[in-house]
Amino acid sequence: MAWGNFSRVTEFILLGLSDTRELQVLFFTIFFLAYILVLLGNLLIIVTVRTDPKLSSPMYFLLCNLSFIDICCTSVTAPRMLVDLLSQRKAIVFEGCIAQLFFLHFFGSSEMFLLTVMAYDRYTAICKPLHYTAIMSRWACWVLVCSCWAGGFLHSITQTLLTIQLPFCGPNTIDNYFCDVQPVIRLACAEIYVTEWLMASNSGLISLGCFLVLVTSYMLILVSIRGRLTQGHWKALSTCASHVVVVTLFFVPCIFIYLRPFFTFPFDKYVCVIYTILSPVMNPLIYTLRNNEVKESMWRL
């Protein structure tokens, strides 16, 4: 059937996390405080790294970029969710839904690639310390970060194009608090078997591939320093441990959500809270509370 024969959907209704008023007020309070913490914590990291010459190593350059991405990624979903928690009718126009979908995957996939680069940075610093400054030069860091943004854009534009080419003519209710690929394409008035496989192979395999690279890098680090732990190695391992926490919070829910086409569960939207809200909240806490250099710089600032 041709596109023109459909009555095009102009808006979607987001069901949110709960329809109980008391829970909505509770969720609003919790997520409002979490969003403020994301903004202030990550902005403090960015300002601290940018103003302190002592924090000029590649690790802090990458951390600064991670904080910026966290702010952007959380700002795609959190403000809309907070408004909807206080609204009776949670509607979002079709164009706004597609824009939210695009930017969520743009910043989310860019963060995946950046976390992988940060693991490579730690591997190089611990396993190849004599060549570290040559491998992770300022130019190399910029190339790696720009590659992360470019990879995120290519992933996101692919997801978006696969979505907007579908016809939407009937149901418009999304059982989530934001527009994501899976719940949106299931509202299409067309067969989406191939589309779901393409999207799972895109988002799911990217999440799984980056996660496996990260796990491999940590295993190589442990094998490399086995039996010869020095004070510097312990400090590096402490940094890696905090990185592992961030990786687990971010990647495991993403793999669970995006690597299984054709299936949805009622609790999926609560799993999404982990990588859209909780992980960005944890990043500034983990990287500041476990890093004496950053804490000292913050006190001086």
Side-chain angles (χ1 to χ4, degrees):
M1 187 178 293
W3 170 271
N5 293 333
F6 288 103
S7 175
R8 182 174 177 272
V9 169
T10 58
E11 67 177 15
F12 294 104
I13 305 298
L14 302 172
L15 297 183
L17 294 174
S18 173
D19 56 0
T20 304
R21 189 60 184 171
E22 291 76 13
L23 282 178
Q24 289 179 347
V25 174
L26 176 63
F27 285 149
F28 176 84
T29 305
I30 294 173
F31 294 132
F32 177 76
L33 294 176
Y35 184 51
I36 295 299
L37 185 59
V38 170
L39 294 179
L40 295 181
N42 285 291
L43 281 174
L44 181 59
I45 290 177
I46 293 173
V47 173
T48 302
V49 173
R50 296 292 296 175
T51 56
D52 193 339
K54 294 182 178 180
L55 303 179
S56 59
S57 67
M59 181 180 73
Y60 296 114
F61 174 75
L62 298 174
L63 175 60
C64 186
N65 281 272
L66 177 64
S67 295
F68 176 74
I69 292 180
D70 275 337
I71 292 174
C72 295
C73 192
T74 309
S75 297
V76 173
T77 58
R80 177 80 208 188
M81 177 182 63
L82 293 173
V83 171
D84 286 343
L85 285 171
L86 300 180
S87 304
Q88 293 295 327
R89 189 170 184 271
K90 304 172 178 60
I92 182 171
V93 297
F94 180 84
E95 292 77 9
C97 183
I98 298 300
Q100 189 179 54
L101 184 154
F102 171 82
F103 285 109
L104 176 70
H105 281 266
F106 176 42
F107 294 122
S109 56
S110 297
E111 180 164 352
M112 289 184 183
F113 296 134
L114 184 61
L115 286 170
T116 308
V117 170
M118 293 177 71
Y120 174 72
D121 171 73
R122 290 299 84 205
Y123 165 77
T124 306
I126 297 173
C127 300
K128 300 181 179 180
L130 298 179
H131 304 283
Y132 178 69
T133 55
I135 296 175
M136 296 300 295
S137 63
R138 176 63 66 171
W139 169 251
C141 289
W142 275 108
V143 170
L144 289 171
V145 169
C146 291
S147 299
C148 292
W149 286 101
F153 177 80
L154 290 176
H155 161 75
S156 183
I157 197 66
T158 301
Q159 298 287 83
T160 305
L161 291 176
L162 287 172
T163 302
I164 63 176
Q165 57 86 27
L166 295 171
F168 296 91
C169 60
N172 66 338
T173 302
I174 298 175
D175 188 17
N176 210 325
Y177 59 93
F178 64 95
C179 290
D180 202 0
V181 171
Q182 286 87 344
V184 170
I185 66 173
R186 289 190 174 94
L187 300 178
C189 305
E191 177 57 54
I192 60 171
Y193 180 85
V194 176
T195 304
E196 284 203 281
W197 272 114
L198 289 173
M199 290 185 168
S201 62
N202 190 345
S203 297
L205 290 182
I206 286 177
S207 304
L208 181 61
C210 290
F211 182 70
L212 291 177
V213 171
L214 286 161
V215 172
T216 302
S217 69
Y218 296 134
M219 292 177 63
L220 290 174
I221 289 174
L222 291 176
V223 171
S224 174
I225 64 177
R226 182 180 54 185
R228 54 184 183 89
L229 289 175
T230 63
Q231 184 177 358
H233 285 139
W234 279 114
K235 181 179 179 182
L237 281 178
S238 177
T239 303
C240 289
S242 62
H243 199 174
V244 169
V245 174
V246 175
V247 165
T248 303
L249 285 174
F250 188 71
F251 278 94
V252 173
C254 288
I255 294 172
F256 175 78
I257 293 293
Y258 295 113
L259 198 59
R260 49 180 179 86
F262 319 119
F263 296 102
T264 58
F265 300 107
F267 56 84
D268 280 355
K269 55 187 175 183
Y270 300 105
V271 176
C272 294
V273 172
I274 299 176
Y275 65 86
T276 58
I277 304 293
L278 182 59
S279 178
V281 169
M282 294 300 295
N283 281 351
L285 295 177
I286 290 172
Y287 282 110
T288 55
L289 295 180
R290 295 183 60 87
N291 192 308
N292 290 327
E293 290 179 340
V294 176
K295 286 191 293 186
E296 291 172 0
S297 297
M298 286 182 176
W299 280 114
R300 288 196 297 270
L301 181 66

